Amino acid sequence: MTKAVLWTAKDAETATGGKTTGDWSVTGISIDSRKVSKGDLFIALKGPNFDGHKFAQASLDAGANAVMVSDTTGITDTDKVLLVDDTLDALVRLGLAGRARSKAKIVAITGSVGKTGTKEALKYVLSQQGKTHASPASFNNHWGVPISLATLPVDAEYGVFEIGMNHPGEISPLVKMVKPSVALITTVVGAHTEFFKDEAEIAMAKAEIFDGLESDGVVVLNRDNMHYFALARRAKELGLNNIKCFGTDAMANYRLFEANIVTDGSAVRARVGGRDLEYFIGCPGEHWVLNSLAVLGCVDAIGADLVRAAQDLADVTPPAGRGEILTIKVPSGDGTFTLIDDAYNANPTSMMAGIKVLAQSKPAEGGRKIAVVGDMRELGDDAVRLHADLHHPLTAMEIDRVYCVGPLMAELDKTLPAERNAGHFTTAEDAIEPIKADLRAGDVVLIKGSLGIYVSKIVSALKSCGVVDQSTTVQH
């Protein structure tokens, strides 16, 4: 199928304030020359340790229709150049122009945990009702948000944008670019505590997402979160009075009555938008139940079909690295084991959620529940205690074997009961062969850790043994 034109040379020139002599058009945008697709505009960004200008001509050779650069050195296809003063500034201007020309109904999402999974679930249910665009992967920072806006199709009916932060002041400028009509905060917990005085300060940083809303915008909050009242108060201070909430609380607009959590998802009974609904979410875990209510809250706030969205949640599966479940051949021997790939990131709250999913799984006969846990980063002064204390849930939930990966997980290694401790490894690479040698048919394995500890390398090594099936089932 032919891709729709995203930007013509003239439109891109006008949007960015740049100059071009060519008459080209592009159907996509890339900032990674290794992932350029035919028809892309390659944007040569610069950073402390990289310069995309070195790969501009290579991107054209790989099929890009044009490149956006501030230096034309080494480029032979001069009619395919959009010359700008600064490529990041020009990308921001392109994103602003993409937003300005769009009539899509936009939802912006932030939170300490659950942003990407909730974004993907909302994207899916809205896409069943109209053309929907969403931030790819975790494009939620100072370059990811403008790329997401610059790739927003002119005819999109809905848009879903994830906005992240590590420090105060990072969300506000991004959400002012997105200009959503609905702003969701999934929850506020102790993530990135290294950069904040306390959780209350984290909550106020998340509240910056209100800065992009007009006075008639809708705020969707977690009613069960301890920071709900502070967030609601902040919204009202900014003149935002249309505040909706989800959770188990009796005052929640999107209220959970009951959830039957099984190994391939959860059957949910809730009151949503004034009506009682029963639906199934195809992702295992308590956290997904609340996330599903957040999704439906956004669907309701944006004016889409609530009942259809609830039905479509049955087809939602966890994204790769965030709870995706795979059946894989045992590295040495016959049979298969189940892998829960939750390797993208971790903090104490998401770690607990992952352990609960593992605890609720049902290994096949002779199988075990195995946790491979990597360091949780950016926890500040509490890091040692929070890692050591993980022995409580791992023991209470009867996880059979635990592999500790990373310098901070040495603290857990000290506190784990010997019968559950499978060993401590300084790096993910060190743990790969011992884990492969230990696995047997019927095992269920959770892999969870912060991005910087690279437990995703363990996932890749295990997947190389042969993926038999990808599903949401944690049971043979």
Side-chain angles (χ1 to χ4, degrees):
M1 186 173 68
T2 304
K3 292 183 179 180
V5 171
L6 196 59
W7 295 97
T8 64
K10 183 179 179 180
D11 289 341
E13 186 180 54
T14 301
T16 61
K19 297 292 182 183
T20 183
T21 58
D23 183 21
W24 41 264
S25 61
V26 296
T27 56
I29 291 176
S30 176
I31 60 171
D32 187 340
S33 61
R34 298 165 298 181
K35 299 179 180 178
V36 166
S37 297
K38 187 177 180 180
D40 276 356
L41 170 65
F42 172 73
I43 299 177
L45 296 180
K46 283 185 177 181
N49 303 309
F50 66 90
D51 185 353
H53 289 79
K54 296 178 181 178
F55 309 101
Q57 184 58 48
S59 297
L60 291 169
D61 295 341
N65 279 8
V67 294
M68 187 165 81
V69 298
S70 59
D71 181 355
T72 59
T73 302
I75 300 175
T76 56
D77 296 335
T78 55
D79 60 333
K80 297 181 179 180
V81 171
L82 176 59
L83 183 63
V84 298
D85 52 355
D86 180 276
T87 51
L88 181 57
D89 290 346
L91 170 58
V92 170
R93 292 193 290 271
L94 194 65
L96 289 170
R99 179 64 184 96
R101 70 184 183 179
S102 174
K103 296 181 180 178
K105 296 179 180 178
I106 303 291
V107 178
I109 299 174
T110 194
S112 300
V113 292
K115 293 186 295 295
T116 302
T118 302
K119 176 204 69 181
E120 291 296 327
L122 182 58
K123 172 190 174 183
Y124 178 79
V125 298
L126 288 176
S127 70
Q128 305 307 299
Q129 302 185 35
K131 187 169 183 177
T132 302
H133 174 73
S135 310
S138 288
F139 277 33
N140 60 18
N141 61 8
H142 65 288
W143 54 261
V145 169
I147 287 175
S148 300
L149 287 170
T151 52
L152 175 63
V154 178
D155 59 345
E157 296 176 54
Y158 304 108
V160 187
F161 291 82
E162 178 182 339
I163 301 180
M165 64 95 187
N166 292 322
H167 299 81
E170 291 181 341
I171 289 178
S172 185
L174 299 178
V175 76
K176 288 176 181 176
M177 294 176 61
V178 173
K179 296 180 180 177
S181 56
V182 178
L184 164 67
I185 300 178
T186 57
T187 192
V188 176
V189 296
H192 312 301
T193 51
E194 181 179 354
F195 309 117
F196 294 89
K197 180 177 64 177
D198 51 30
E199 273 191 19
E201 196 173 80
I202 296 173
M204 288 304 98
K206 298 295 184 186
E208 292 175 24
I209 199 168
F210 305 151
D211 294 347
L213 287 174
E214 299 293 334
S215 59
D216 59 349
V218 182
V219 171
V220 181
L221 300 174
N222 186 336
R223 188 63 172 75
D224 295 344
N225 185 250
M226 64 180 291
H227 301 286
Y228 166 78
F229 291 104
L231 292 170
R233 183 167 58 249
R234 178 58 182 156
K236 290 178 180 178
E237 289 172 355
L238 295 171
L240 302 169
N241 294 306
N242 196 351
I243 300 171
K244 304 292 185 181
C245 55
F246 63 94
T248 60
D249 191 278
M251 299 300 292
N253 304 94
Y254 312 102
R255 182 186 177 191
L256 174 66
F257 288 143
E258 183 182 14
N260 181 20
I261 299 170
V262 293
T263 53
D264 59 348
S266 298
V268 181
R269 187 169 65 86
R271 174 160 292 174
V272 181
R275 68 179 77 187
D276 290 352
L277 290 178
E278 294 184 4
Y279 62 91
F280 188 84
I281 170 83
C283 304
E286 296 173 11
H287 55 300
W288 274 104
V289 173
L290 283 181
N291 288 348
S292 72
L293 289 173
V295 167
L296 294 179
C298 291
V299 168
D300 189 37
I302 213 167
D305 188 327
L306 193 58
V307 174
R308 181 174 178 183
Q311 294 170 342
D312 288 333
L313 282 170
D315 298 323
V316 172
T317 56
R322 293 176 172 85
E324 183 183 36
I325 296 164
L326 309 100
T327 303
I328 299 176
K329 294 178 181 178
V330 173
S332 54
D334 297 327
T336 61
F337 70 96
T338 298
L339 174 65
I340 306 172
D341 173 14
D342 207 355
Y344 184 78
N345 222 333
N347 58 47
T349 300
S350 65
M351 184 68 79
M352 180 65 75
I355 294 169
K356 284 184 178 179
V357 170
L358 177 61
Q360 291 165 347
S361 70
K362 295 181 180 178
E365 185 176 354
R368 302 156 298 172
K369 299 174 184 179
I370 300 174
V372 180
V373 292
D375 285 0
M376 301 178 290
R377 299 286 183 86
E378 300 178 359
L379 296 180
D381 294 339
D382 289 334
V384 169
R385 176 182 60 82
L386 290 170
H387 284 79
D389 285 352
L390 286 175
H391 78 91
H392 294 298
L394 289 164
T395 302
M397 296 184 202
E398 299 182 341
I399 306 305
D400 297 304
R401 289 178 67 73
V402 180
Y403 287 85
C404 304
V405 180
L408 286 168
M409 279 299 172
E411 302 304 322
L412 174 60
D413 179 60
K414 297 174 186 176
T415 58
L416 267 176
E419 66 273 14
R420 301 184 191 279
N421 194 338
H424 172 255
F425 302 88
T426 304
T427 69
E429 291 92 335
D430 294 340
I432 289 172
E433 291 306 319
I435 291 171
K436 288 172 70 174
D438 184 32
L439 290 177
R440 63 194 189 206
D443 285 344
V444 179
V445 182
L446 166 71
I447 299 183
K448 179 81 175 165
S450 283
L451 190 62
I453 200 63
Y454 301 111
V455 287
S456 57
K457 293 182 178 180
I458 303 174
V459 173
S460 298
L462 295 180
K463 287 170 70 173
S464 69
C465 298
V467 177
V468 177
D469 182 43
Q470 290 180 247
S471 69
T472 58
T473 303
V474 219
Q475 179 181 13
H476 288 266

